[in-house]
Amino acid sequence: MTRILVVMLFITIVCGAKADETCSSFVGEPIAPVPIEVAISQLSSLKQLPKGEFETTMDYNSRIEKKTGGNIRRMIIGKPIESRRFFEYDADGERLKIKQYAFTYQEIDLFSAIYGGGLPDKININPFKSFGAVISSSDKKTGYYSASNSFGVRTSVVSIERTVKAIVDPDTNNSYSLFPSADLSPNIVGELMLSPSEARQLKPKLNLAFVVIPKEPFVLNGVHNPGEVTLNNPQSVTERFTILVADIQCGLVLDGSNKVLGAYMTR
């Protein structure tokens, strides 16, 4: 039993080291992140390319790679910054602290999306042990209606149609967040050593990206109604979502020319 535990620990350490090496190899390199819409379009086409009965796995993978230009193995997907307050500069220490919420401020309600969207038969995923990142989200007000609670208190409820595109990693090793190193407060993913003048110039220009390896079923689409209409939350949301299923390997911080300044592993 002890030997098994030692072997498992060794495998975990080696895999973690390889993942860290993969992420750190991006630092200092210029990259070209693709919009999530492009990635979704490429991967959606794979649903029309099932493996043939007399096709070897090697031949099938080769055909898929040609279809996606080799991107099936790894994609770098850009993520717009939602708030720069998650980049905190420490002038005394001359370091820019990157909080994990820079990558994951918006979340998709996976339980509602999977079960409300009728997807449990299409993907084997535990919504309580999986993490992801919303890449884009937009709301459109479609109208209002009057509603009341059980006490007869009435309110005006706004109807909202929400469109969400997200990346979800179905296997995050039971951590509390996408970045285990930032599980605990103050939730710092990493730091960039910068002088005050460098930080002042760089902070407004920072960009983000994720390094991912797409996984079957690649893309999921659905409609659900997240949240509950209450007096404190008088809105009825119909969310149309597109989920790109992938192994999220790294979160990248980029400068204005898309050179990688920091790369942080997710496991």
Side-chain angles (χ1 to χ4, degrees):
M1 182 67 178
T2 301
R3 182 179 179 182
I4 294 175
L5 289 174
V6 170
V7 171
M8 291 178 65
L9 179 60
F10 173 77
I11 292 174
T12 301
I13 292 173
V14 170
C15 291
K18 288 183 177 179
D20 188 28
E21 182 180 335
T22 298
C23 293
S24 61
S25 66
F26 287 99
V27 177
E29 298 296 323
I31 62 170
V34 301
I36 191 170
E37 292 81 5
V38 173
I40 288 171
S41 176
Q42 288 184 329
L43 295 172
S44 294
S45 66
L46 300 186
K47 293 177 180 286
Q48 312 303 321
L49 298 171
K51 183 176 178 295
E53 179 182 0
F54 304 104
E55 187 176 31
T56 67
T57 299
M58 182 179 296
D59 289 340
Y60 172 69
N61 289 339
S62 177
R63 180 161 61 92
I64 292 300
E65 285 196 30
K66 289 180 181 178
K67 179 68 177 179
T68 62
N71 287 333
I72 188 62
R73 289 196 175 183
R74 186 176 69 191
M75 288 182 165
I76 301 178
I77 299 175
K79 173 179 169 56
I81 291 178
E82 297 157 55
S83 175
R84 295 186 186 274
R85 74 177 184 273
F86 300 124
F87 298 94
E88 297 181 351
Y89 187 64
D90 173 6
D92 294 326
E94 295 196 349
R95 62 189 68 199
L96 184 68
K97 300 177 181 179
I98 297 112
K99 288 196 169 186
Q100 66 162 317
Y101 305 114
F103 292 96
T104 61
Y105 180 58
Q106 290 191 70
E107 297 181 348
I108 186 168
D109 185 340
L110 278 179
F111 184 87
S112 177
I114 291 171
Y115 291 95
L119 300 179
D121 60 331
K122 296 182 181 180
I123 183 171
N124 181 20
I125 182 173
N126 184 332
F128 302 107
K129 294 184 179 181
S130 303
F131 296 99
V134 171
I135 305 301
S136 67
S137 178
S138 61
D139 286 0
K140 179 182 178 181
K141 295 180 181 179
T142 58
Y144 294 84
Y145 65 90
S146 180
S148 62
N149 63 12
S150 58
F151 298 101
V153 179
R154 303 195 68 81
T155 189
S156 179
V157 178
V158 58
S159 296
I160 295 174
E161 285 192 1
R162 178 173 296 159
T163 302
V164 170
K165 294 180 176 65
I167 306 173
V168 170
D169 190 331
D171 181 16
T172 49
N173 297 333
N174 298 326
S175 61
Y176 294 103
S177 65
L178 186 60
F179 297 91
S181 62
D183 276 350
L184 302 178
S185 181
N187 309 112
I188 303 298
V189 173
E191 299 177 340
L192 301 177
M193 303 306 297
L194 300 166
S195 69
S197 60
E198 289 173 329
R200 184 181 296 109
Q201 293 180 7
L202 184 63
K203 185 174 177 178
K205 302 176 183 178
L206 292 176
N207 294 308
L208 298 174
F210 286 107
V211 180
V212 308
I213 297 178
K215 301 172 68 172
E216 291 188 274
F218 302 121
V219 177
L220 297 171
N221 295 286
V223 180
H224 70 130
N225 300 102
E228 181 180 357
V229 179
T230 65
L231 290 176
N232 293 326
N233 182 44
Q235 59 180 21
S236 175
V237 178
T238 299
E239 183 173 278
R240 302 180 185 279
F241 63 85
T242 302
I243 293 175
L244 191 158
V245 183
D247 171 1
I248 304 176
Q249 293 195 316
C250 319
L252 306 180
V253 176
L254 320 172
D255 67 8
S257 61
N258 285 335
K259 183 176 78 173
V260 180
L261 301 176
Y264 309 105
M265 58 186 291
T266 61
R267 58 177 55 80

